[in-house]
Amino acid sequence: MEKSIVKHKVGFWDVVKSLVSGARLTLHHFLHADKRRKPVYVSDDSYFEQTEGLVTLTYPYEALPVPDNGRYRLHNEIDDCIVCDLCAKVCPVNCITIESVKATEDIGVTSDGTKKRLYAPTFDIDLAKCCYCGLCTTVCPTDCLTMTPVYDFPEVDIKNMVYHFTDLSPEQAQEKKQLLEKQQEEMAAAKAAALAARKQQG
């Protein structure tokens, strides 16, 4: 069977018709360029209903609103952190590094009334590794670890993607470690003395 091939010839008027259609659309957008679309959340029912107006944003002065439940850059409110280490344990990519030092004195409570017993000389989050799953924010007992609305934080050097959250300077951390060691030595000496006294009495 021979296949019949139908060739469509583009005529002069087809070209003119196409040009006029494109020019009409361009003129339509040009006349409405002084209008601007209202910033609405993507979850809003009217998000796709705005057919008129300028859509190009003058970034970074303007930005599209992000959903309230979006998962973006992590932030730790270190004053509310009890250094429980749950976030580091649950992290599937090991992007959270925590070092803790037991306090030898009363260091107060968090905003929800939880007693603080540990300092955090190191609390680092490597956002270059982070997969933004949100598991760390879910297990946090004091809600100090949260996802912020900040989604644009590019860096030239990948080392700058490591965010440091700590309540101590390196000097203060060393001082707290020394105080803890001294307290532990004193407690061990007191325990040994008490044990020796009991042996003498027995």
Side-chain angles (χ1 to χ4, degrees):
M1 264 180 93
E2 292 183 3
K3 292 182 180 179
S4 58
I5 299 172
V6 179
K7 291 184 179 179
H8 178 69
K9 292 182 179 179
V10 179
F12 172 77
W13 292 112
D14 291 328
V15 174
V16 172
K17 195 179 190 181
S18 178
L19 287 172
V20 169
S21 176
R24 187 184 297 137
L25 182 62
T26 303
L27 183 63
H28 173 78
H29 286 297
F30 180 77
L31 293 174
H32 291 84
D34 59 336
K35 296 179 183 176
R36 201 173 252 309
R37 291 191 182 185
K38 294 177 182 177
V40 294
Y41 283 97
V42 291
S43 59
D44 196 290
D45 293 335
S46 63
Y47 184 76
F48 293 103
E49 291 178 5
Q50 298 185 65
T51 57
E52 304 293 343
L54 194 64
V55 295
T56 304
L57 299 173
T58 54
Y59 186 84
Y61 306 106
E62 291 179 307
L64 286 172
V66 296
D68 292 331
N69 60 347
R71 298 198 292 263
Y72 306 103
R73 187 169 69 183
L74 280 165
H75 173 73
N76 183 33
E77 195 62 47
I78 196 66
D79 290 337
D80 285 339
C81 181
I82 57 173
V83 202
C84 63
D85 203 30
L86 287 175
C87 53
K89 287 175 182 173
V90 79
C91 180
V93 291
N94 296 323
C95 72
I96 302 175
T97 305
I98 298 175
E99 180 190 355
S100 62
V101 175
K102 189 176 180 181
T104 57
E105 75 282 9
D106 185 16
I107 55 174
V109 295
T110 64
S111 60
D112 67 352
T114 306
K115 187 172 177 59
K116 295 183 71 171
R117 293 182 174 87
L118 299 169
Y119 286 108
T122 302
F123 195 116
D124 296 346
I125 302 177
D126 190 348
L127 288 174
K129 293 180 183 177
C130 182
C131 62
Y132 304 94
C133 62
L135 289 174
C136 56
T137 62
T138 305
V139 298
C140 182
T142 59
D143 294 326
C144 67
L145 200 58
T146 55
M147 290 280 188
T148 66
V150 180
Y151 59 87
D152 51 342
F153 44 98
E155 294 287 352
V156 175
D157 189 350
I158 198 169
K159 292 177 183 175
N160 293 333
M161 294 292 285
V162 179
Y163 285 73
H164 307 283
F165 304 96
T166 179
D167 50 4
L168 297 172
S169 66
E171 295 77 17
Q172 288 174 325
Q174 189 60 35
E175 182 187 346
K176 300 300 180 187
K177 288 176 184 177
Q178 289 171 355
L179 286 171
L180 179 61
E181 287 174 7
K182 185 180 177 183
Q183 186 189 60
Q184 288 174 338
E185 287 171 2
E186 289 173 354
M187 287 173 66
K191 188 176 180 182
L195 189 60
R198 257 184 288 180
K199 282 183 180 178
Q200 285 179 357
Q201 287 175 359

